[in-house]
Amino acid sequence: MANYFRITAYHPDKNICAVFDSNGRFEKLWQFSAYLVQKGFRIAEVGTDGQFHAGNLPKASASENLIVRACAKGEPKKGSRTVTVSGKYYTPLG
């Protein structure tokens, strides 16, 4: 999958967090991050294809889309190995 990115972000004004996947919509990870920051989000975790284990959030097959994989009130839960939002989790590598 070309240009597959996953970002977990928190929106302090709305007190919500979400896991977003982008499959081909952005050429570079920084473009995806900048898009979310422009919308008022603070970036909590980022990863490109191969930089995370999918956990119970498998990679999306749709192309050139921005997909909200999970969302919840409050900040995302970052454990020693996993990032969790509304019971959905994945493991960043690195």
Side-chain angles (χ1 to χ4, degrees):
M1 288 182 235
N3 303 333
Y4 197 101
F5 308 122
R6 179 168 286 176
I7 295 180
T8 302
Y10 172 69
H11 197 294
D13 295 339
K14 308 238 185 247
N15 191 33
I16 59 169
C17 64
V19 177
F20 299 95
D21 282 5
S22 172
N23 187 5
R25 181 168 178 173
F26 299 96
E27 186 176 327
K28 304 284 184 185
L29 180 59
W30 69 264
Q31 293 169 322
F32 186 16
S33 298
Y35 175 80
L36 292 174
V37 168
Q38 182 182 29
K39 301 298 180 188
F41 284 92
R42 291 186 185 162
I43 306 302
E45 190 70 52
V46 300
T48 61
D49 190 22
Q51 289 184 323
F52 60 89
H53 288 297
N56 67 357
L57 284 170
K59 295 178 188 170
S61 59
S63 63
E64 297 186 16
N65 289 303
L66 179 64
I67 303 123
V68 177
R69 303 308 307 271
C71 60
K73 287 216 173 258
E75 295 189 41
K77 295 179 176 119
K78 292 178 73 176
S80 62
R81 297 195 48 125
T82 62
V83 175
T84 305
V85 173
S86 189
K88 302 293 185 180
Y89 68 90
Y90 70 96
T91 305
L93 302 175

Coordinates of all heavy atoms in Angstrom, one line a residue:
M1 N 0.8 -1.2 0.0 CA 0.0 0.0 0.0 C 0.9 1.2 0.0 O 1.7 1.4 0.9 CB -0.9 0.0 1.2 CG -2.0 -1.0 1.2 SD -3.0 -0.9 2.7 CE -2.9 -2.5 3.3
A2 N 0.7 2.0 -1.0 CA 1.6 3.2 -1.1 C 1.0 4.4 -0.2 O -0.2 4.5 -0.2 CB 1.6 3.7 -2.6
N3 N 1.9 5.0 0.4 CA 1.5 6.2 1.2 C 0.4 5.9 2.3 O -0.5 6.7 2.4 CB 1.1 7.4 0.4 CG 2.1 7.7 -0.7 OD1 3.3 7.6 -0.4 ND2 1.7 8.3 -1.8
Y4 N 0.6 4.8 3.0 CA -0.4 4.5 4.1 C 0.2 5.0 5.4 O 1.3 4.7 5.8 CB -0.5 3.0 4.2 CG -1.8 2.6 5.0 CD1 -2.9 2.2 4.3 CD2 -1.8 2.7 6.4 CE1 -4.0 1.9 5.0 CE2 -2.9 2.4 7.1 CZ -4.1 2.0 6.4 OH -5.2 1.7 7.1
F5 N -0.6 5.9 6.0 CA -0.2 6.6 7.2 C -1.3 6.4 8.3 O -2.5 6.3 8.0 CB 0.0 8.1 7.0 CG 0.9 8.4 5.9 CD1 0.5 9.2 4.9 CD2 2.2 7.9 5.9 CE1 1.4 9.5 3.8 CE2 3.1 8.3 4.8 CZ 2.6 9.1 3.8
R6 N -0.9 6.4 9.6 CA -1.8 6.3 10.7 C -1.4 7.4 11.7 O -0.2 7.5 12.1 CB -1.8 5.0 11.4 CG -2.7 4.9 12.6 CD -2.9 3.5 13.0 NE -3.8 2.8 12.1 CZ -4.2 1.5 12.2 NH1 -3.7 0.8 13.1 NH2 -5.0 1.0 11.3
I7 N -2.4 8.2 12.1 CA -2.1 9.3 13.1 C -3.2 9.2 14.2 O -4.4 9.1 13.9 CB -2.1 10.7 12.5 CG1 -1.0 10.8 11.5 CG2 -2.1 11.8 13.5 CD1 -0.9 12.1 10.8
T8 N -2.8 9.3 15.4 CA -3.7 9.5 16.6 C -3.5 10.9 17.0 O -2.4 11.4 17.2 CB -3.3 8.5 17.7 OG1 -3.3 7.2 17.3 CG2 -4.3 8.7 18.9
A9 N -4.7 11.6 17.2 CA -4.7 13.0 17.5 C -5.7 13.3 18.5 O -6.7 12.6 18.7 CB -4.9 13.8 16.2
Y10 N -5.5 14.5 19.2 CA -6.4 15.0 20.2 C -6.8 16.4 19.9 O -5.9 17.2 19.5 CB -5.7 14.9 21.6 CG -6.5 15.5 22.7 CD1 -7.7 15.0 23.2 CD2 -6.0 16.7 23.3 CE1 -8.4 15.6 24.2 CE2 -6.7 17.3 24.3 CZ -7.9 16.8 24.7 OH -8.6 17.4 25.8
H11 N -8.1 16.7 20.0 CA -8.6 18.1 19.7 C -8.9 18.7 21.1 O -10.0 18.3 21.7 CB -9.8 18.0 18.8 CG -10.1 19.4 18.2 ND1 -10.5 20.4 19.0 CD2 -10.1 19.8 16.9 CE1 -10.7 21.5 18.1 NE2 -10.5 21.1 16.9
P12 N -8.1 19.6 21.6 CA -8.3 20.1 23.0 C -9.6 20.9 23.1 O -10.2 20.9 24.2 CB -7.1 20.9 23.3 CG -6.4 21.2 22.0 CD -6.9 20.1 21.1
D13 N -10.0 21.7 22.1 CA -11.2 22.5 22.2 C -12.4 21.6 22.3 O -13.4 22.0 23.0 CB -11.3 23.5 21.0 CG -10.1 24.5 21.0 OD1 -9.5 24.7 22.1 OD2 -9.9 25.0 20.0
K14 N -12.5 20.5 21.6 CA -13.6 19.7 21.6 C -13.5 18.5 22.5 O -14.5 17.8 22.7 CB -13.8 19.1 20.2 CG -13.9 20.2 19.1 CD -15.2 20.2 18.4 CE -15.1 21.2 17.2 NZ -16.0 22.3 17.4
N15 N -12.3 18.3 23.1 CA -12.0 17.2 24.0 C -12.4 15.9 23.4 O -13.1 15.0 24.0 CB -12.7 17.4 25.4 CG -12.2 16.4 26.4 OD1 -11.0 16.0 26.4 ND2 -13.1 16.0 27.3
I16 N -11.9 15.7 22.2 CA -12.1 14.4 21.5 C -10.7 13.9 21.0 O -9.8 14.7 20.7 CB -13.1 14.4 20.4 CG1 -12.6 15.5 19.3 CG2 -14.5 14.7 20.9 CD1 -13.4 15.4 18.0
C17 N -10.6 12.6 20.8 CA -9.4 12.0 20.2 C -9.9 11.1 19.1 O -11.0 10.6 19.1 CB -8.5 11.3 21.2 SG -9.3 9.9 22.0
A18 N -9.0 10.8 18.2 CA -9.3 9.9 17.1 C -8.1 9.2 16.5 O -7.0 9.8 16.6 CB -10.1 10.6 16.0
V19 N -8.3 8.1 15.9 CA -7.2 7.4 15.1 C -7.6 7.6 13.6 O -8.8 7.2 13.3 CB -7.1 5.9 15.4 CG1 -6.1 5.3 14.5 CG2 -6.7 5.7 16.9
F20 N -6.8 8.2 12.9 CA -7.0 8.4 11.4 C -6.1 7.6 10.6 O -4.9 7.6 10.9 CB -6.8 9.9 11.1 CG -7.7 10.9 11.8 CD1 -7.2 11.5 13.0 CD2 -8.9 11.2 11.3 CE1 -8.0 12.5 13.6 CE2 -9.7 12.2 12.0 CZ -9.3 12.8 13.1
D21 N -6.6 7.0 9.5 CA -5.7 6.4 8.5 C -5.9 7.1 7.2 O -7.0 7.6 6.9 CB -6.1 4.9 8.3 CG -5.6 4.0 9.4 OD1 -5.0 4.5 10.4 OD2 -5.8 2.8 9.3
S22 N -4.8 7.2 6.5 CA -4.8 7.8 5.2 C -4.1 6.8 4.2 O -3.0 6.4 4.5 CB -4.1 9.1 5.1 OG -3.9 9.6 3.8
N23 N -4.8 6.4 3.2 CA -4.3 5.4 2.3 C -4.2 6.1 0.9 O -5.2 6.0 0.1 CB -5.2 4.2 2.2 CG -4.6 3.1 1.4 OD1 -3.5 3.2 0.9 ND2 -5.3 2.0 1.2
G24 N -3.1 6.8 0.6 CA -2.9 7.4 -0.7 C -3.4 8.8 -0.8 O -3.2 9.4 -1.9
R25 N -4.1 9.4 0.2 CA -4.6 10.8 0.0 C -3.4 11.8 0.1 O -3.5 12.8 -0.6 CB -5.6 11.0 1.1 CG -6.2 12.4 1.0 CD -7.4 12.7 1.8 NE -7.8 14.0 1.7 CZ -8.9 14.5 2.2 NH1 -9.7 13.7 2.8 NH2 -9.2 15.8 2.1
F26 N -2.5 11.5 1.0 CA -1.3 12.4 1.1 C -0.1 11.8 0.6 O 0.1 10.6 0.8 CB -1.2 12.8 2.6 CG -2.4 13.5 3.2 CD1 -3.4 12.8 3.9 CD2 -2.5 14.9 3.0 CE1 -4.5 13.5 4.4 CE2 -3.7 15.5 3.5 CZ -4.6 14.8 4.2
E27 N 0.8 12.5 0.0 CA 2.1 12.0 -0.5 C 3.1 11.8 0.7 O 3.8 10.8 0.6 CB 2.6 13.0 -1.5 CG 3.9 12.4 -2.2 CD 4.4 13.3 -3.3 OE1 3.5 14.0 -4.0 OE2 5.6 13.4 -3.5
K28 N 3.1 12.7 1.6 CA 4.0 12.6 2.7 C 3.3 12.7 4.1 O 2.2 13.3 4.2 CB 5.0 13.9 2.7 CG 5.7 14.0 1.4 CD 6.9 13.0 1.3 CE 7.7 13.3 0.1 NZ 8.7 12.3 -0.1
L29 N 3.9 12.1 5.1 CA 3.3 12.0 6.4 C 3.1 13.4 7.0 O 2.1 13.7 7.6 CB 4.2 11.2 7.4 CG 3.7 11.0 8.8 CD1 2.3 10.4 8.9 CD2 4.7 10.2 9.6
W30 N 4.1 14.3 6.8 CA 4.0 15.6 7.3 C 2.8 16.4 6.7 O 2.2 17.2 7.4 CB 5.3 16.5 7.1 CG 5.6 16.8 5.7 CD1 6.4 16.2 4.8 CD2 5.1 17.9 4.9 NE1 6.4 16.8 3.6 CE2 5.6 17.9 3.6 CE3 4.2 19.0 5.2 CZ2 5.3 18.8 2.7 CZ3 3.9 19.9 4.3 CH2 4.5 19.8 3.0
Q31 N 2.4 16.1 5.5 CA 1.2 16.7 4.9 C -0.1 16.3 5.6 O -0.9 17.1 5.9 CB 1.1 16.3 3.4 CG 2.2 16.9 2.6 CD 2.2 16.3 1.2 OE1 1.9 15.1 1.0 NE2 2.5 17.2 0.2
F32 N -0.1 15.0 6.0 CA -1.3 14.5 6.8 C -1.3 15.1 8.1 O -2.3 15.6 8.6 CB -1.1 13.0 6.8 CG -2.3 12.2 7.5 CD1 -3.5 12.8 7.7 CD2 -2.1 10.9 7.8 CE1 -4.5 12.1 8.2 CE2 -3.1 10.2 8.4 CZ -4.3 10.8 8.6
S33 N -0.2 15.2 8.8 CA -0.1 15.8 10.1 C -0.5 17.3 10.1 O -1.2 17.8 10.9 CB 1.4 15.7 10.7 OG 1.7 14.4 10.9
A34 N 0.0 18.0 9.1 CA -0.3 19.4 8.9 C -1.8 19.7 8.7 O -2.3 20.6 9.2 CB 0.5 20.0 7.8
Y35 N -2.4 18.8 8.0 CA -3.8 18.9 7.7 C -4.6 18.8 9.0 O -5.5 19.6 9.3 CB -4.3 17.8 6.8 CG -5.7 17.7 6.5 CD1 -6.4 18.5 5.6 CD2 -6.5 16.7 7.2 CE1 -7.8 18.4 5.4 CE2 -7.9 16.6 7.0 CZ -8.5 17.5 6.1 OH -9.8 17.4 5.9
L36 N -4.2 17.8 9.9 CA -4.9 17.6 11.2 C -4.7 18.8 12.1 O -5.5 19.3 12.8 CB -4.6 16.3 11.8 CG -5.1 15.1 11.1 CD1 -4.5 13.8 11.7 CD2 -6.6 15.1 11.0
V37 N -3.4 19.3 12.1 CA -3.1 20.4 13.0 C -3.9 21.7 12.5 O -4.4 22.4 13.4 CB -1.5 20.7 12.9 CG1 -1.2 22.1 13.5 CG2 -0.8 19.6 13.7
Q38 N -4.0 21.8 11.2 CA -4.8 23.0 10.7 C -6.3 22.9 11.2 O -6.9 23.9 11.3 CB -4.8 22.9 9.2 CG -5.5 24.0 8.5 CD -5.4 23.9 7.0 OE1 -5.3 22.8 6.4 NE2 -5.5 25.0 6.3
K39 N -6.8 21.7 11.4 CA -8.1 21.5 11.9 C -8.3 21.6 13.4 O -9.3 21.4 14.0 CB -8.7 20.1 11.4 CG -8.7 19.9 9.9 CD -9.6 20.9 9.3 CE -9.6 20.7 7.8 NZ -10.4 21.7 7.1
G40 N -7.1 21.9 14.1 CA -7.1 22.1 15.5 C -6.7 20.9 16.4 O -6.8 21.0 17.6
F41 N -6.2 19.8 15.7 CA -5.8 18.7 16.5 C -4.3 18.8 16.9 O -3.5 19.5 16.3 CB -5.9 17.4 15.6 CG -7.3 16.9 15.5 CD1 -8.1 17.3 14.4 CD2 -7.8 16.0 16.4 CE1 -9.4 16.8 14.3 CE2 -9.1 15.5 16.3 CZ -9.9 15.9 15.2
R42 N -4.0 18.1 18.0 CA -2.6 18.0 18.5 C -2.3 16.5 18.2 O -3.0 15.6 18.5 CB -2.5 18.2 20.0 CG -2.7 19.7 20.3 CD -2.4 19.9 21.8 NE -2.7 21.3 22.1 CZ -2.9 21.7 23.3 NH1 -2.8 20.9 24.3 NH2 -3.2 23.0 23.5
I43 N -1.1 16.3 17.6 CA -0.7 15.0 17.2 C -0.1 14.2 18.4 O 0.7 14.7 19.1 CB 0.4 15.1 16.1 CG1 -0.1 15.9 14.9 CG2 0.8 13.7 15.6 CD1 -1.4 15.4 14.2
A44 N -0.7 13.0 18.6 CA -0.2 12.2 19.7 C 0.7 11.1 19.3 O 1.7 10.7 20.0 CB -1.4 11.6 20.5
E45 N 0.5 10.5 18.1 CA 1.3 9.4 17.6 C 1.2 9.4 16.1 O 0.1 9.6 15.5 CB 0.8 8.1 18.2 CG 1.7 6.9 17.9 CD 3.0 7.0 18.7 OE1 3.0 7.2 19.9 OE2 4.0 6.8 18.0
V46 N 2.3 9.1 15.4 CA 2.3 9.0 13.9 C 3.0 7.7 13.5 O 3.8 7.2 14.2 CB 2.9 10.2 13.2 CG1 2.3 11.5 13.6 CG2 4.4 10.2 13.6
G47 N 2.6 7.2 12.3 CA 3.3 6.0 11.8 C 3.0 5.9 10.3 O 1.9 6.2 9.8
T48 N 4.0 5.4 9.6 CA 3.8 5.0 8.2 C 3.6 3.5 8.1 O 3.8 2.8 9.1 CB 5.0 5.4 7.4 OG1 6.2 4.7 7.9 CG2 5.3 6.9 7.4
D49 N 3.3 3.0 7.0 CA 3.1 1.6 6.8 C 4.4 0.9 7.2 O 5.5 1.2 6.8 CB 2.8 1.3 5.3 CG 2.4 -0.1 5.0 OD1 1.9 -0.8 6.0 OD2 2.5 -0.6 3.9
G50 N 4.2 -0.1 8.1 CA 5.4 -0.8 8.6 C 5.9 -0.3 9.9 O 6.8 -0.9 10.5
Q51 N 5.4 0.8 10.3 CA 5.9 1.4 11.6 C 4.9 1.2 12.7 O 5.0 1.8 13.8 CB 6.1 2.9 11.5 CG 7.3 3.2 10.6 CD 7.6 4.7 10.6 OE1 6.7 5.5 10.6 NE2 8.9 5.1 10.6
F52 N 3.9 0.3 12.5 CA 3.0 0.0 13.6 C 2.4 -1.4 13.3 O 2.3 -1.8 12.2 CB 1.8 1.0 13.7 CG 1.0 1.2 12.5 CD1 -0.1 0.4 12.3 CD2 1.3 2.2 11.5 CE1 -0.9 0.6 11.1 CE2 0.5 2.3 10.4 CZ -0.6 1.6 10.2
H53 N 2.0 -2.1 14.4 CA 1.3 -3.3 14.3 C -0.2 -2.9 14.4 O -0.6 -2.1 15.3 CB 1.6 -4.3 15.4 CG 3.0 -4.9 15.3 ND1 3.3 -5.7 14.3 CD2 4.0 -4.8 16.1 CE1 4.6 -6.1 14.4 NE2 5.0 -5.6 15.5
A54 N -1.0 -3.5 13.5 CA -2.4 -3.0 13.4 C -3.3 -3.3 14.6 O -4.3 -2.6 14.8 CB -3.0 -3.7 12.2
G55 N -2.9 -4.2 15.5 CA -3.7 -4.5 16.7 C -5.1 -4.9 16.2 O -5.3 -5.7 15.3
N56 N -6.2 -4.3 16.8 CA -7.5 -4.6 16.4 C -8.1 -3.5 15.4 O -9.3 -3.4 15.2 CB -8.5 -4.9 17.5 CG -8.7 -3.7 18.4 OD1 -8.2 -2.6 18.2 ND2 -9.6 -3.8 19.4
L57 N -7.2 -2.8 14.8 CA -7.5 -1.8 13.8 C -6.8 -2.2 12.5 O -5.7 -1.6 12.1 CB -7.0 -0.4 14.2 CG -7.9 0.3 15.2 CD1 -7.2 1.6 15.7 CD2 -9.2 0.7 14.7
P58 N -7.3 -3.1 11.7 CA -6.6 -3.5 10.5 C -6.5 -2.4 9.5 O -7.3 -1.5 9.5 CB -7.4 -4.7 10.0 CG -8.7 -4.5 10.6 CD -8.5 -3.8 11.9
K59 N -5.5 -2.4 8.6 CA -5.4 -1.4 7.6 C -6.6 -1.4 6.7 O -7.1 -2.5 6.4 CB -4.1 -1.6 6.8 CG -2.9 -1.5 7.7 CD -1.6 -1.7 6.9 CE -0.4 -1.8 7.8 NZ 0.8 -2.3 7.1
A60 N -7.0 -0.2 6.3 CA -8.1 -0.1 5.4 C -7.7 -0.4 4.0 O -6.5 -0.1 3.6 CB -8.6 1.3 5.4
S61 N -8.6 -1.0 3.2 CA -8.3 -1.3 1.8 C -8.6 -0.2 0.8 O -8.1 -0.2 -0.3 CB -8.9 -2.6 1.4 OG -10.3 -2.5 1.5
A62 N -9.5 0.7 1.2 CA -9.9 1.8 0.4 C -8.7 2.7 0.0 O -7.8 2.9 0.8 CB -11.0 2.6 1.0
S63 N -8.7 3.2 -1.2 CA -7.6 4.1 -1.5 C -8.0 5.5 -1.6 O -9.1 5.9 -1.8 CB -7.0 3.6 -2.9 OG -8.0 3.8 -3.9
E64 N -7.0 6.4 -1.5 CA -7.1 7.8 -1.6 C -8.2 8.4 -0.7 O -9.0 9.3 -1.0 CB -7.3 8.3 -3.0 CG -6.1 7.9 -3.9 CD -6.2 8.5 -5.3 OE1 -7.0 9.4 -5.5 OE2 -5.5 8.0 -6.1
N65 N -8.3 7.9 0.6 CA -9.3 8.3 1.5 C -8.6 8.7 2.8 O -7.5 8.2 3.1 CB -10.3 7.2 1.8 CG -11.2 7.0 0.6 OD1 -11.9 8.0 0.1 ND2 -11.3 5.8 0.1
L66 N -9.4 9.4 3.6 CA -9.0 9.7 5.0 C -10.1 9.0 5.8 O -11.3 9.2 5.7 CB -9.0 11.2 5.3 CG -8.7 11.6 6.7 CD1 -7.3 11.3 7.1 CD2 -8.9 13.1 6.8
I67 N -9.7 8.0 6.7 CA -10.6 7.2 7.4 C -10.5 7.4 8.9 O -9.4 7.3 9.4 CB -10.4 5.7 7.0 CG1 -10.5 5.5 5.5 CG2 -11.3 4.8 7.7 CD1 -9.2 4.9 4.9
V68 N -11.6 7.7 9.6 CA -11.6 7.7 11.0 C -11.8 6.3 11.5 O -12.8 5.7 11.3 CB -12.7 8.6 11.6 CG1 -12.7 8.6 13.1 CG2 -12.5 10.0 11.0
R69 N -10.8 5.7 12.2 CA -10.8 4.3 12.6 C -11.4 4.2 14.0 O -12.0 3.2 14.3 CB -9.4 3.8 12.6 CG -8.7 3.8 11.3 CD -9.5 3.3 10.1 NE -10.0 1.9 10.3 CZ -9.3 0.8 10.0 NH1 -8.2 0.9 9.4 NH2 -9.8 -0.3 10.3
A70 N -11.3 5.2 14.8 CA -11.8 5.2 16.2 C -11.9 6.6 16.7 O -11.1 7.4 16.3 CB -11.0 4.3 17.1
C71 N -12.9 6.9 17.6 CA -12.9 8.2 18.2 C -13.5 8.1 19.6 O -14.3 7.1 19.8 CB -13.7 9.2 17.3 SG -15.4 8.7 17.0
A72 N -13.2 9.1 20.4 CA -13.7 9.0 21.8 C -13.6 10.4 22.4 O -12.8 11.2 21.9 CB -12.9 8.0 22.6
K73 N -14.3 10.6 23.5 CA -14.1 11.8 24.3 C -12.8 11.7 25.1 O -12.4 10.6 25.5 CB -15.3 12.0 25.3 CG -16.5 12.4 24.6 CD -17.3 13.4 25.5 CE -18.5 14.0 24.8 NZ -18.2 15.3 24.3
G74 N -12.1 12.8 25.3 CA -10.9 12.8 26.1 C -9.7 12.5 25.3 O -9.8 12.4 24.0
E75 N -8.6 12.4 25.9 CA -7.3 12.1 25.3 C -7.1 10.6 25.0 O -7.7 9.8 25.7 CB -6.2 12.6 26.1 CG -6.2 14.1 26.3 CD -4.9 14.6 27.0 OE1 -3.8 14.2 26.7 OE2 -5.1 15.5 27.8
P76 N -6.3 10.3 24.0 CA -6.0 8.9 23.7 C -5.3 8.3 24.9 O -4.5 9.0 25.6 CB -5.2 8.9 22.4 CG -4.6 10.2 22.4 CD -5.6 11.2 23.1
K77 N -5.4 7.0 25.1 CA -4.7 6.3 26.1 C -3.4 5.7 25.5 O -3.5 4.8 24.6 CB -5.6 5.2 26.7 CG -6.8 5.7 27.4 CD -7.7 4.7 28.0 CE -8.8 5.3 28.8 NZ -10.1 5.0 28.3
K78 N -2.3 6.1 26.0 CA -1.0 5.6 25.6 C -0.4 4.8 26.7 O 0.0 5.3 27.7 CB -0.1 6.7 25.2 CG -0.6 7.5 23.9 CD 0.3 8.6 23.5 CE 1.6 8.1 23.0 NZ 2.5 9.1 22.5
G79 N -0.4 3.4 26.4 CA 0.3 2.5 27.4 C 1.7 2.4 27.0 O 2.3 3.1 26.2
S80 N 2.4 1.4 27.7 CA 3.8 1.2 27.5 C 4.0 0.7 26.1 O 5.1 0.9 25.5 CB 4.4 0.3 28.5 OG 3.7 -1.0 28.4
R81 N 3.0 0.0 25.5 CA 3.2 -0.6 24.2 C 2.1 -0.2 23.2 O 2.3 -0.4 22.0 CB 3.3 -2.1 24.3 CG 4.6 -2.5 25.1 CD 4.8 -4.0 24.9 NE 4.8 -4.3 23.4 CZ 5.8 -4.9 22.8 NH1 6.8 -5.2 23.4 NH2 5.7 -5.1 21.5
T82 N 1.0 0.2 23.6 CA -0.2 0.4 22.7 C -0.8 1.8 22.9 O -0.6 2.5 23.8 CB -1.3 -0.6 23.0 OG1 -1.8 -0.4 24.4 CG2 -0.9 -2.0 22.9
V83 N -1.5 2.2 21.8 CA -2.3 3.4 21.8 C -3.7 2.9 21.7 O -4.1 2.1 20.8 CB -1.9 4.3 20.6 CG1 -2.8 5.5 20.5 CG2 -0.5 4.7 20.7
T84 N -4.6 3.4 22.6 CA -6.0 2.9 22.6 C -7.0 4.1 22.5 O -6.8 5.1 23.2 CB -6.3 2.1 23.9 OG1 -5.3 1.0 24.0 CG2 -7.7 1.5 23.9
V85 N -8.0 4.0 21.7 CA -9.0 4.9 21.5 C -10.3 4.1 21.4 O -10.5 3.3 20.5 CB -8.9 5.8 20.3 CG1 -10.1 6.7 20.1 CG2 -7.6 6.7 20.4
S86 N -11.2 4.3 22.4 CA -12.5 3.7 22.4 C -12.5 2.2 22.2 O -13.2 1.6 21.4 CB -13.4 4.3 21.3 OG -14.7 3.9 21.4
G87 N -11.5 1.5 22.9 CA -11.4 0.1 22.8 C -10.6 -0.4 21.6 O -10.4 -1.6 21.5
K88 N -10.3 0.4 20.7 CA -9.5 0.1 19.5 C -8.1 0.4 19.8 O -7.8 1.5 20.3 CB -10.0 0.8 18.3 CG -11.4 0.6 17.9 CD -11.7 -0.8 17.5 CE -13.1 -1.0 17.1 NZ -13.4 -2.3 16.6
Y89 N -7.1 -0.5 19.4 CA -5.8 -0.3 19.7 C -4.8 -0.7 18.6 O -5.2 -1.5 17.8 CB -5.4 -1.0 21.0 CG -5.4 -2.5 20.9 CD1 -4.2 -3.2 20.5 CD2 -6.5 -3.2 21.1 CE1 -4.2 -4.5 20.3 CE2 -6.5 -4.6 20.9 CZ -5.4 -5.2 20.5 OH -5.4 -6.6 20.3
Y90 N -3.6 -0.1 18.7 CA -2.5 -0.6 17.8 C -1.2 -0.3 18.5 O -1.2 0.4 19.5 CB -2.6 0.2 16.4 CG -2.3 1.6 16.5 CD1 -1.0 2.1 16.2 CD2 -3.2 2.5 16.8 CE1 -0.7 3.4 16.2 CE2 -2.9 3.9 16.9 CZ -1.7 4.3 16.6 OH -1.4 5.7 16.6
T91 N -0.2 -0.9 18.0 CA 1.1 -0.8 18.6 C 2.1 -0.1 17.7 O 2.5 -0.6 16.7 CB 1.7 -2.2 19.0 OG1 0.7 -2.9 19.8 CG2 3.0 -2.1 19.7
P92 N 2.6 1.1 18.1 CA 3.6 1.8 17.3 C 4.9 1.1 17.5 O 5.2 0.5 18.5 CB 3.7 3.2 18.0 CG 2.5 3.3 18.9 CD 2.1 1.9 19.2
L93 N 5.7 1.1 16.4 CA 7.0 0.5 16.4 C 8.0 1.7 16.5 O 8.0 2.6 15.7 CB 7.3 -0.4 15.2 CG 6.3 -1.5 15.0 CD1 6.6 -2.2 13.7 CD2 6.4 -2.5 16.2
G94 N 9.0 1.6 17.3 CA 10.0 2.6 17.4 C 9.9 3.5 18.5 O 10.2 4.1 19.2

